[in-house]
Amino acid sequence: VELVFRPTVGFIDLLRRFVTEFCRELSLDPDDGSRVALATYELVENAARHSTDGRAAMAIDVAERREGAVLTIRIANRASQRHRESLQARLDELKNLTDAESYYVAMMHRTAKLESGLGLARVCSEAEMEVSGQIVGEEVELYATTRVTRSEVGV
Amino acid sequence: VSIEALSVAQLTTTVGVEGGDLVVALSGNADLDARTKLAEWLRSVHEEVLRLRIQRVVVDLRRLEFMNSLCLNAFVGWLATILELSIDRQYRVHFLWNRDLFWQRKSLSALCRFALRVVTTDP
């Protein structure tokens, strides 16, 4: 699935529901579908809030590998220098992540008095996905990857 | 209890008293448009609980389909405010949740770790 869009709040929730259905069509385990939908929501909302031109691009890819199916969400958008710097710092922290829930709880302590900052940690912990990214010029590209289980029926 | 129910975007809340508990229930969808109002509403809940010296708030999430991280952060802020109180003024927050909603299991697990002293869950 690939989409280029101007995300709005209503659209982001619609996308979450669409991804849930998409995962069901792929015969993914229901918990896997919930994880992927949650991650999609958080990443797209993040793009919507920080995109400097109001646009974002999203792709979801499922690859069959020797170790099983691997699903990757890719989100790309343009962002301000301030946001890019903040995001790079967060991505550096995520490179060495060993315990996602402990990091998530630590982020709760850091952001308790702020309005935001939990999104990527939530993707790592609640959605159980590995988050990485690259920043080239004004372009920010985030990837969230996870192994998924497909049921026998419908594969 | 002088807390008004909240209705913003796709989120609605109700407020009631059962036994000695303040019971607040959320339903719908807590998204970007609800964040600011939800945080304000939780502050009003906190002030009322302190005013009435209530010992426990029951938060019923069973009909809340989804909550984004911004709204979850509003709950984190509320719990942090409770933890900042002296022990004798702290009150408990008990969450009722829906087993069918994956995110609730994961979010509440993290909230319990964040505020172990004050958060309980059911089931």
Side-chain angles (χ1 to χ4, degrees), chain B residues 12-24:
Chain B
T12 57
T13 71
T14 59
V15 183
V17 176
E18 285 181 22
D21 295 336
L22 179 70
V23 180
V24 297

Side-chain angles (χ1 to χ4, degrees), chain A residues 35-101:
Chain A
R35 294 191 297 112
V36 172
L38 185 151
T40 302
Y41 186 102
E42 292 295 346
L43 293 172
V44 173
E45 186 182 77
N46 197 55
R49 290 171 55 229
H50 296 292
S51 173
T52 49
D53 60 6
R55 291 164 60 89
M58 186 201 82
I60 297 180
D61 175 69
V62 183
E64 295 294 342
R65 297 185 185 163
R66 197 179 313 164
E67 68 271 23
V70 174
L71 184 146
T72 301
I73 305 168
R74 181 179 64 83
I75 304 281
N77 61 277
R78 291 182 173 208
S80 68
Q81 183 176 354
R82 184 178 173 190
H83 179 66
R84 294 196 305 270
E85 289 171 0
S86 157
L87 183 61
Q88 186 60 62
R90 198 60 54 80
L91 289 171
D92 290 342
E93 290 176 355
L94 296 178
K95 276 180 192 165
N96 304 313
L97 196 61
T98 54
D99 180 343
E101 191 176 85

Side-chain angles (χ1 to χ4, degrees), chain A residues 13 42 45 122 126 128, chain B residues 29 67-69 106-107:
Chain A
D13 192 53
E42 292 295 346
E45 186 182 77
R122 191 183 199 198
E126 291 195 29
E128 300 170 6
Chain B
N29 191 348
M67 183 190 293
N68 70 0
S69 62
K106 305 288 281 189
S107 291

Side-chain angles (χ1 to χ4, degrees), chain A residues 109, chain B residues 79 83 92 109-120:
Chain A
H109 285 280
Chain B
L79 295 173
L83 290 171
R92 282 176 295 140
S109 168
L111 286 180
C112 282
R113 278 188 64 179
F114 172 73
L116 196 57
R117 280 206 309 273
V118 299
V119 171
T120 56

